[in-house]
Amino acid sequence: LSDRSVKHDFSVYCIASSERRIASGCTDGTVSVWDPQSTSNSPTEQLKGHSDVVRRILFNESKNLYVSR
């Protein structure tokens, strides 16, 4: 992702990353999950459910578990 432009419709408030995933938490309450190896500029997953800004993201890749606040 470092040399590609990735569009967000709202401001990004937080980011979590690993070798296999990058997750961004936005001010619209969504978490977008990106594959850094992909050639696509679109997220692989978009998680919705927060009623406010996503302020923190953690994930456990071995259990495929995301926690956001």
Side-chain angles (χ1 to χ4, degrees), residues 6-62:
V6 177
K7 182 180 182 302
H8 282 82
D9 292 329
F10 293 85
S11 297
V12 173
Y13 193 87
C14 61
I15 294 174
S17 66
S18 71
E19 288 184 27
R20 296 184 350 191
R21 293 189 179 112
I22 299 170
S24 59
C26 292
T27 57
D28 69 341
T30 62
V31 174
S32 297
V33 182
W34 311 84
D35 177 354
Q37 304 301 319
S38 173
T39 58
S40 172
N41 287 352
S42 299
T44 57
E45 297 178 74
Q46 195 150 40
L47 310 173
K48 299 177 181 179
H50 287 272
S51 60
D52 200 1
V53 175
V54 178
R55 300 182 185 282
R56 184 175 294 162
I57 304 168
L58 300 170
F59 52 81
N60 181 327
E61 287 192 285
S62 65

